[in-house]
Amino acid sequence: MRLTCPHCGERDLREFAYKGDALALSRPEANAELQAWHEYLHIRDNPAGPTRELWYHTPCGSWMVAERDTATHAVHRTMTPAEATK
Amino acid sequence: MRYSGFKVFLEGLRGQSGWKPVWRDPEPKPVYDVVIIGGGGHGLSTAYYLAKNHGLTNVAVLEKGYLGGGNVGRNTTIVRANYFLPGNSEFYSHSMKLWEGLAADLNYNVMHSQRGLINLFHSDGQRDAFARRGNAMINQGDDAVLLDREGVRSYLPYLDFDNPRFPVYGGLLHPRGGTARHDAVAWGYARGADRRGVDLLQQCEVTGIDIEGGQVTGVQTTRGPIKAKKVAMIAAGRSGQVAAMAGMRLPIESHVLQAFVTEGLKPVIDHVISFGMGHFYISQSDKGGLVFGGDLDFYASYAQRGNLPMAEHVMEAGMALMPMIGQARVLRSWGGIMDMSPDGSPIIDRTATKGLYLNCGWCYGGFKAVPASGFATAHLIATDRPHETAARFRLDRFATGRGLMDEEGTGAQHNLH
Ligand SMILES: Cc1cc2nc3c(=O)[nH]c(=O)nc-3n(C[C@H](O)[C@H](O)[C@H](O)COP(=O)(O)OP(=O)(O)OC[C@H]3O[C@@H](n4cnc5c(N)ncnc54)[C@H](O)[C@@H]3O)c2cc1C
Ligand SMILES: [Zn+2]
């Protein structure tokens, strides 16, 4: 599996750290119900197939969003979090 | 058919012509008292204890592939009771006791071998932590011996004790720890359940869970609809997909864990060795292969195979610890889908739907749990009350924050375990 850093291009998997489901970008409001925080922290769709997740490129220190398939390990698209939340 | 030394001898004389298939291959019945989704170790042991402990035999285990084709047949077979936290301690302690009587109970040789497990440490701080863990194990009634460097050397003379990064300071020996034959555990429980009347339905994938008025009524499968008073979801890495059929979302993320085996060698590694700092552990199977593994690949995956960076990392750690294994040739590597929970501990609980039960979150350590998990899950299904040894494996602990069991102390969050 190789990933494409939006800044550095396609790089070896060893340069990246997985940071979990991209749901982390949709942080609840500070005063949201406890249930919203519970879902944000713990509950996962955990799809067997296409997924969106956060990765961190260690050499350049930037985060990115990857659209990837958990069943095949194919990486479809990567983008900066700014692009992903536009 | 009961197995015995006499039977083996007799069949030797008769040209092995008297052995029969070990379990039936029945057609699904229209209705069962209990349907279990998943024919892995936990599903099969649950069925066995439902029949044995609770007299419930109108039970079916529904397996989409073949029995034991999931993680129960893919793991590295380490069996231990060296947990630290209340909740886990009593549960794994109970499991160890069941392991110790398992072959006799099942009349099936599960090749449980208590060869001793040694967890290595490499600093004064780590020694303190292991001394504390050892005390917790002894308090639980299990066994632990703190070994100094020379103590470890007397057991494992072939380690690189002066590794510059991780010099060996000592180890925590868990004499009752060891291994078992993974396939035999699945087969033994399957045979035991079948003999008590449980239907084992293979090639039977559950595609829907029927719920009416908040009560489970049955399942849809690739072999037709099946009605049931109670349904247990015991699908390990596939728990998310199965629970979704009941409209549930789980605190589970599925990750890949790899393992490796070398060509068969003469006996050389007599114990289970765990090198936590290097994320490496190893034992030798009875066939002679060195069976070893490391950490998760650390990304969500259902592929049942990992990537090369983790393979390389594991090999490097092995070479650092015991340079002699560089001579051995790796035969195979594989991966399994791990149902990772946020705090690294499992879930055995009821759900909001009446008659629907959940067993998941075994992470990378659910093989040793197979006996106690089935025991406790059967108790929960039969009596609707948690068994005392699994009373803390509640599903709501994540929502409430009460009763989290984070053995590593890294935080009850995904991707930290
Ligand atoms: C490489 C590796 C090494 C490991 N090492 C150890 C170890 O040393 N010690 C230890 O204690 N643990 C270890 N584990 C963990 C252990 O193997 C698992 O935690 C445990 O086997 C999971 O429970 P199970 O046996 O019930 O799972 P599985 O055997 O995976 O059973 C789940 C079953 O559910 C079936 N299923 C899924 N969806 C459906 C459906 N819709 N309909 C019907 N059936 C379905 C699957 O086909 C599967 O057979 C390891 C795991 C791996 C992968
Ligand atoms: Zn980069």
Side-chain angles (χ1 to χ4, degrees):
Chain A
M1 194 160 92
R2 287 167 72 81
L3 291 159
T4 303
C5 168
H7 306 290
C8 313
E10 190 182 314
R11 311 289 301 176
D12 190 286
L13 178 60
R14 273 170 288 201
E15 295 185 2
F16 295 90
Y18 173 70
K19 295 292 185 180
D21 195 289
L23 143 105
L25 292 173
S26 332
R27 197 179 165 88
E29 297 295 323
N31 58 357
E33 295 288 316
L34 274 183
Q35 182 63 23
W37 281 102
H38 166 55
E39 298 201 358
Y40 173 73
L41 277 173
H42 304 126
I43 300 292
R44 294 292 176 265
D45 284 337
N46 197 18
T51 191
R52 276 176 103 233
E53 47 195 27
L54 285 167
W55 289 75
Y56 180 76
H57 191 216
T58 311
C60 79
S62 62
W63 292 67
M64 65 183 203
V65 172
E67 290 176 5
R68 204 173 59 85
D69 192 309
T70 59
T72 63
H73 291 171
V75 181
H76 299 308
R77 212 152 73 97
T78 53
M79 64 208 101
T80 63
E83 285 167 339
T85 49
K86 246 200 314 248
Chain B
M1 183 200 319
R2 263 195 80 77
Y3 295 135
S4 64
F6 177 69
K7 177 79 184 154
V8 171
F9 177 73
L10 197 70
E11 287 303 327
L13 296 180
R14 289 202 304 212
Q16 315 290 352
S17 57
W19 301 112
K20 300 210 173 56
V22 167
W23 52 77
R24 298 164 298 129
D25 184 19
E27 284 303 310
K29 287 192 253 174
V31 190
Y32 290 95
D33 290 337
V34 182
V35 155
I36 292 167
I37 307 173
H42 294 248
L44 292 167
S45 63
T46 299
Y48 174 77
Y49 291 114
L50 274 174
K52 183 185 174 218
N53 294 355
H54 305 281
L56 285 169
T57 55
N58 187 24
V59 173
V61 178
L62 277 40
E63 166 54 48
K64 71 172 174 170
Y66 60 94
L67 296 178
N71 292 322
V72 72
R74 292 171 171 262
N75 66 79
T76 44
T77 78
I78 315 291
V79 172
R80 56 188 166 90
N82 60 352
Y83 282 72
F84 182 71
L85 294 179
N88 283 330
S89 277
E90 61 264 33
F91 175 79
Y92 289 102
S93 182
H94 182 227
S95 212
M96 181 63 85
K97 294 183 188 97
L98 292 173
W99 276 108
E100 287 168 342
L102 196 58
D105 185 26
L106 295 175
N107 175 234
Y108 202 90
N109 185 2
V110 295
M111 296 165 78
H112 182 216
S113 154
Q114 294 182 297
R115 56 187 65 182
L117 162 81
I118 298 174
N119 277 86
L120 300 171
F121 51 80
H122 316 273
S123 68
D124 291 335
Q126 243 199 321
R127 178 192 292 114
D128 290 350
F130 272 112
R132 186 165 174 241
R133 177 174 294 264
N135 288 339
M137 290 158 65
I138 291 167
N139 279 343
Q140 179 58 48
D142 295 318
D143 60 345
V145 182
L146 197 67
L147 302 175
D148 63 10
R149 183 182 165 96
E150 291 316 308
V152 172
R153 202 190 296 276
S154 71
Y155 288 102
L156 316 173
Y158 45 78
L159 299 187
D160 180 6
F161 283 82
D162 299 313
N163 181 290
R165 188 157 174 221
F166 295 118
V168 176
Y169 274 44
L172 185 67
L173 169 66
H174 173 32
R176 285 161 73 215
T179 59
R181 167 114 196 261
H182 49 9
D183 295 325
V185 174
W187 298 335
Y189 273 117
R191 171 172 169 271
D194 173 88
R195 274 157 51 109
R196 285 173 169 77
V198 171
D199 282 358
L200 307 174
L201 306 174
Q202 306 186 60
Q203 307 285 323
C204 184
E205 178 170 356
V206 173
T207 53
I209 297 178
D210 302 330
I211 298 168
E212 279 169 34
Q215 162 83 45
V216 76
T217 57
V219 293
Q220 301 293 321
T221 82
T222 49
R223 293 176 70 176
I226 298 175
K227 290 205 177 310
K229 296 191 191 110
K230 295 183 173 182
V231 173
M233 304 182 284
I234 315 187
R238 290 276 170 179
S239 293
Q241 280 75 47
V242 171
M245 296 176 201
M248 289 176 70
R249 293 171 73 227
L250 299 181
I252 297 288
E253 192 170 275
S254 295
H255 280 246
V256 57
L257 179 69
Q258 302 194 58
F260 309 85
V261 65
T262 69
E263 61 194 345
L265 303 170
K266 288 198 171 171
V268 54
I269 296 178
D270 300 328
H271 306 85
V272 179
I273 305 166
S274 175
F275 172 33
M277 291 311 289
H279 303 294
F280 174 84
Y281 64 97
I282 188 166
S283 68
Q284 187 167 17
S285 81
D286 290 345
K287 277 193 292 188
L290 305 182
V291 180
F292 59 98
D295 220 335
L296 297 174
D297 269 37
F298 273 114
Y299 46 82
S301 171
Y302 285 86
Q304 292 201 107
R305 64 185 148 74
N307 271 284
L308 285 174
M310 186 48 73
E312 185 181 37
H313 177 86
V314 170
M315 309 281 170
E316 283 172 358
M319 286 296 289
L321 181 68
M322 42 176 86
M324 69 167 183
I325 63 167
Q327 301 291 321
R329 276 173 296 212
V330 174
L331 274 189
R332 282 182 292 123
S333 74
W334 65 93
I337 315 170
M338 312 283 67
D339 37 335
M340 301 301 297
S341 69
D343 65 354
S345 292
I347 297 160
I348 300 180
D349 210 345
R350 290 172 289 233
T351 68
T353 302
K354 269 189 80 187
L356 184 66
Y357 303 86
L358 177 66
N359 170 316
C360 67
W362 294 101
C363 300
Y364 28 73
F367 177 65
K368 70 180 98 66
V370 162
S373 165
F375 200 98
T377 308
H379 184 274
L380 178 70
I381 295 170
T383 66
D384 251 322
R385 279 197 308 276
H387 189 259
E388 57 181 1
T389 57
R392 300 203 194 202
F393 294 163
R394 301 278 71 81
L395 175 58
D396 70 0
R397 67 180 185 269
F398 303 103
T400 64
R402 275 193 297 277
L404 293 166
M405 281 164 292
D406 170 13
E407 287 275 336
E408 293 163 2
T410 47
Q413 257 188 56
H414 286 290
N415 317 320
L416 297 182
H417 296 274

